[in-house]
Amino acid sequence: MNVPQARIYWESTGEPSGIPVLYLHGGPGGSLGNGGYRKRHDHTRFRTIGLDQRGCGKSTPTVQEDLDHLSENTTQALIEDIEAVREHLGIQRWIVTGVSWGSTLALAYALKYPARVLGIALVAVTTTSLDEVQWITEDVGRIFPEAWNEFFEAANTKPGERVVEAYARRLAGEDRNDARRAALSWDRWESTHISLDPNWEPGALFDDERERMTFALLVAHYWANDGFLTNGQEIIPRIHELNGIPGYLIHGRRDISGPAVTAWQLHRRWPSSHLVVIEDEGHGGPSSMAALSEAVENIAGMI
């Protein structure tokens, strides 16, 4: 069987000779979207690089077209994709930024390739640990019991199966109609646990079915495997290895999906980091993004 070659979509904005800034999107499977990240940094001073992570957005093949090789879509593979882009562009070192899942990937990348990182600036900080996955897929149901019960009942779990594992199984299954139903249930749950965010707007996260299924499939796949960061690869116990690299951990106090405790734990173990708590925001927002731009400026000032 021929294995399709992964082709990673990337784009570059700003001054070609400027300070390189890498942006890693959320999800997994969220993609670069409409490219709003391009506006966050001074185009005369920075070169901003974004990429659609493996299997989503404009990268090919999409996960929907390549289910047979889903097992190869891992955090370790994404890290090497990032390195391939860096080498292709001839960049020696860059400032690494990320939002939500992108913050997990940014930290995992920096831990693998610290010599390539000038600094790190993150919003809606996650590490995709077992505890965080347990919280967002099960324990946060204590706040939204009605919606979580619907989410649980729609999961169709097998004996001994976690809710997230049931969704991961169905979303990647041969019955694509069942996968569509699972994606709808997943979308409703995602819309619920972010609903206390002051910037939340009612409605589905994704109107486009293909985007909805790609997002749900990749999120469930990564979460069911605890971010592929287990057996000594967990981020929090290793974060001290990044001491000396400047870091900014920007997090909304009202983030119910991913409580601020993760950012706080990282900050306590990473002396060269700064914890920035945005009191009136949840899982990202305009003030958080403004803080991200400021953090990148601050890191650039240290170079």
Side-chain angles (χ1 to χ4, degrees), residues 28-29 64 171 179-188 204-219:
Q64 300 293 333
L171 287 159
R180 290 182 180 91
R181 291 191 293 271
L184 281 168
S185 296
W186 189 276
D187 191 278
R188 283 194 293 269
L205 288 183
F206 296 96
D207 294 322
D208 182 85
E209 181 180 84
R210 189 173 185 81
E211 290 182 358
R212 181 193 310 128
M213 292 183 69
T214 294
F215 181 83
L217 194 161
L218 283 173
V219 171

Side-chain angles (χ1 to χ4, degrees), residues 218-268:
L218 283 173
V219 171
H221 169 64
Y222 273 77
W223 288 3
N225 289 283
D226 301 320
F228 297 95
L229 295 166
T230 60
N231 299 319
Q233 294 301 303
E234 295 87 349
I235 288 175
I236 291 177
R238 296 188 295 145
I239 197 65
H240 64 276
E241 297 173 23
L242 297 183
N243 195 33
I245 296 177
Y248 285 81
L249 304 165
I250 302 160
H251 208 91
R253 179 74 72 192
R254 302 186 186 187
D255 190 341
I256 301 299
S257 306
V261 65
T262 296
W264 179 73
Q265 288 174 336
L266 288 166
H267 174 58
R268 291 187 71 197

Side-chain angles (χ1 to χ4, degrees), residues 158-224:
K158 293 182 177 180
E161 202 174 37
R162 292 188 294 166
V163 170
V164 69
E165 292 167 346
Y167 277 102
R169 167 177 53 79
R170 294 172 57 210
L171 287 159
E174 293 183 4
D175 187 340
R176 300 316 290 159
N177 286 326
D178 183 61
R180 290 182 180 91
R181 291 191 293 271
L184 281 168
S185 296
W186 189 276
D187 191 278
R188 283 194 293 269
W189 174 242
E190 291 267 12
S191 298
T192 296
H193 65 66
I194 64 171
S195 63
L196 299 185
D197 190 316
N199 296 302
W200 176 74
E201 295 181 3
L205 288 183
F206 296 96
D207 294 322
D208 182 85
E209 181 180 84
R210 189 173 185 81
E211 290 182 358
R212 181 193 310 128
M213 292 183 69
T214 294
F215 181 83
L217 194 161
L218 283 173
V219 171
H221 169 64
Y222 273 77
W223 288 3

